[in-house]
Amino acid sequence: DAGVIQSPRHEVTEMGQEVTLRCKPISGHNSLFWYRQTMMRGLELLIYFNNNVPIDDSGMPEDRFSAKMPNASFSTLKIQPSEPRDSAVYFCASRTRTGRGGYTFGSGTRLTVV
Amino acid sequence: DQQVKQNSPSLSVQEGRISILNCDYTNSMFDYFLWYKKYPAEGPTFLISISSIKDKNEDGRFTVFLNKSAKHLSLHIVPSQPGDSAVYFCAANSGGGADGLTFGKGTHLIIQP
């Protein structure tokens, strides 16, 4: 099992550019979560999907942020246009719907917007 | 408003002694609690969890205690080892587990030789 795979590991971009972060969940997991980690706010939930359907996007900070899950094995988080305050580590996690635990995190994407 | 609070940003403990990490929560709907461990440049990894119907759960050197009336939980590590040095996150959820986790800001545990 390769775990949750995120790409890229690091991204440096200029303010105003579009940024796309990618996530491949664990096969068989049917819930996927996007988190953002900053010093000020810690780990905060941005959006999550169940069976590829977005369930709660109330954590998405602004309309500049969007997320999609076109199939069970792939999800993207897009920021357009990016701003320096978007600099953070973005984590993707997946789990099965059964049970109460089982959240597995990827290694994260460190985004720096200059 | 932080629903899960870890009030100690860092904690230093001698190797071999007990490490106690604390967590408080405000949302009465939370009914499942988890601890995650995070090393630099890695994602959080699951450590131990507890349901609100229990007050204690033990797994090897790790024990989590839950005091529902005080809305407080703690993680005990005995004995502490150098490899335990990491950031520890307390997390909680409700709704039968369908929702995402709400995390505290973490406590950086440093185990001194």
Side-chain angles (χ1 to χ4, degrees), chain A residues 9 31 33 35 37 39-45 48 50 55 91 95 97 99-108, chain B residues 2 31-32 34 36 38 41-46 49 87 89 93-105:
Chain A
R9 288 297 309 272
S31 295
F33 307 83
Y35 286 87
Q37 183 185 19
M39 289 294 292
M40 288 294 294
R41 301 176 69 88
L43 271 164
E44 49 180 345
L45 178 64
Y48 74 93
N50 286 340
I55 303 300
F91 289 102
R95 70 182 290 265
R97 287 295 307 279
R100 295 303 302 271
Y103 295 82
T104 302
F105 283 77
S107 297
Chain B
Q2 280 255 298
D31 62 356
Y32 196 74
L34 308 89
Y36 277 78
K38 185 182 180 304
E42 295 183 10
T45 56
F46 172 74
S49 62
V87 178
F89 290 96
N93 77 354
S94 58
D99 301 336
L101 298 173
T102 301
F103 281 88
K105 290 190 175 181

Side-chain angles (χ1 to χ4, degrees), chain A residues 103 105, chain B residues 4-8 20-24 32-38 44-50 57 62-66 72-77 87-92 101-109:
Chain A
Y103 295 82
F105 283 77
Chain B
V4 177
K5 300 177 183 178
Q6 294 177 257
N7 292 320
S8 298
I20 300 176
L21 295 92
N22 293 304
C23 177
D24 297 294
Y32 196 74
F33 305 89
L34 308 89
W35 284 94
Y36 277 78
K37 179 178 179 179
K38 185 182 180 304
T45 56
F46 172 74
L47 195 55
I48 192 169
S49 62
I50 188 167
N57 188 26
F62 303 92
T63 303
V64 56
F65 296 91
L66 175 62
H72 176 83
L73 62 155
S74 61
L75 174 69
H76 292 211
I77 307 173
V87 178
Y88 289 78
F89 290 96
C90 173
L101 298 173
T102 301
F103 281 88
K105 290 190 175 181
T107 295
H108 185 193
L109 176 64

Side-chain angles (χ1 to χ4, degrees), chain A residues 14-77:
Chain A
E14 290 186 348
M15 182 174 64
Q17 296 297 307
E18 177 180 298
V19 175
T20 299
L21 311 181
R22 297 172 176 79
C23 176
K24 177 178 168 54
I26 291 174
S27 177
H29 283 193
N30 45 19
S31 295
L32 183 139
F33 307 83
W34 282 100
Y35 286 87
R36 178 172 70 174
Q37 183 185 19
T38 60
M39 289 294 292
M40 288 294 294
R41 301 176 69 88
L43 271 164
E44 49 180 345
L45 178 64
L46 301 178
I47 185 172
Y48 74 93
F49 298 81
N50 286 340
N51 296 318
N52 313 338
V53 176
I55 303 300
D56 183 357
D57 65 354
S58 60
M60 297 285 260
E62 298 174 35
D63 291 345
R64 299 183 295 106
F65 286 70
S66 62
K68 293 182 179 179
M69 192 165 185
N71 57 62
S73 59
F74 184 65
S75 177
T76 59
L77 177 67

